[in-house]
Amino acid sequence: MDSTITAPAPLQGDTAALRRLYFVRFAFAAAWAALLFATARTLSPLSATLLVSYPLFDVACAVVDIRSAKANRGPVRGLYANIALSTLASAGLVAAAASGIPAVLRVWGAWAVTAGLVQLVIGVLRRGRGMAGQWPMILSGAISVLAGASFAAQADMADASLSALAGYAFLGGVFFLVSALRLMRAESTG
């Protein structure tokens, strides 16, 4: 993880690109959660496709985020870690979908814990660089760690379902929306 705390303050384009990315992430999470919630009781081909697509979308967003951060001399190591974790999660979810909902919950839980830790660190580093809108990302990362542990615990329950994953994704999307709005406010006052 990048420990550079003395990096220059983010440029206007950096926060604008991040704000747009956060709005896109909110829209995707909301739509994805609605679709998964509608199919949450069984592990169908549609729900399996949705499960694998979410971490792949996360990879694509991290790539966009890296391009913006590099252009503005920002830290990117945590984003590379996120790409690796999300890629592994997608592969793990492909395998887990063949085994059933409990296996999916375990893989998703492990991904939520590790990705949450990375998001927490990235948010703290960006906050340290003076970038606005990071408190929701920090809180979201911490909640992700706790949620991931609960998914693993739910996997052992007789009535395990994917509905908690839909709620998790939607809540994560709301945190992206709040961060986007905070960045927009910071841009207008900055």
Side-chain angles (χ1 to χ4, degrees), residues 18-30:
L18 198 56
R19 176 181 43 81
R20 285 190 302 275
L21 179 63
Y22 287 175
F23 277 128
V24 168
R25 291 193 75 150
F26 164 71
F28 179 83

Side-chain angles (χ1 to χ4, degrees), residues 51-52 55-56 84-98 107:
L51 291 166
V52 173
L56 290 176
L85 290 170
S86 294
T87 301
L88 288 171
S90 284
L93 287 165
V94 167
V107 170

Side-chain angles (χ1 to χ4, degrees), residues 55 58-59 78 80-90 110-111 113-116 118:
D58 195 54
V59 168
Y80 283 120
N82 186 48
I83 288 172
L85 290 170
S86 294
T87 301
L88 288 171
S90 284
W111 177 50
V113 167
T114 56
V118 170

Side-chain angles (χ1 to χ4, degrees), residues 121-146:
V121 169
I122 290 171
V124 167
L125 291 173
R126 283 181 171 161
R127 179 80 179 136
R129 288 182 59 222
M131 183 178 284
Q134 295 308 301
W135 280 114
M137 293 294 92
I138 293 167
L139 183 57
S140 176
I143 290 171
S144 184
V145 170
L146 297 173

